Amino acid sequence: KNMPLDMFPKDANFKHSDMSYFIQIADLIVYAASMKIQHERGTLAAKRVGRDHHKIYDSLPTAVINLKATRKRNDGIASI
């Protein structure tokens, strides 16, 4: 079935997240991973720790995370 993919970016140019559901989800996952890493390093603001922002990434279903993305970590977060 030929269906349009309106929610995906159509090209490699930068896009605002309000233009694409795919970009919004990607932004959320990057934010969650960033909060987890900052908490591990001890650099996450107390306000965010109090609101459990560092636990968002761990609440993602492991079935949708590529856990083999890196051998350095077992949670699928790969450093670039």
Side-chain angles (χ1 to χ4, degrees), residues 23-64:
I23 301 296
Q24 289 177 15
I25 294 297
D27 285 347
L28 175 63
I29 292 170
V30 168
Y31 174 80
S34 174
M35 294 295 104
K36 180 175 179 163
I37 299 260
Q38 286 180 36
H39 184 259
E40 290 172 358
R41 293 179 179 166
T43 59
L44 186 60
K47 178 178 172 180
R48 294 188 191 276
V49 172
R51 293 180 178 166
D52 289 337
H53 287 197
H54 60 288
K55 296 179 181 178
I56 297 171
Y57 186 85
D58 292 331
S59 68
L60 296 171
T62 55
V64 299

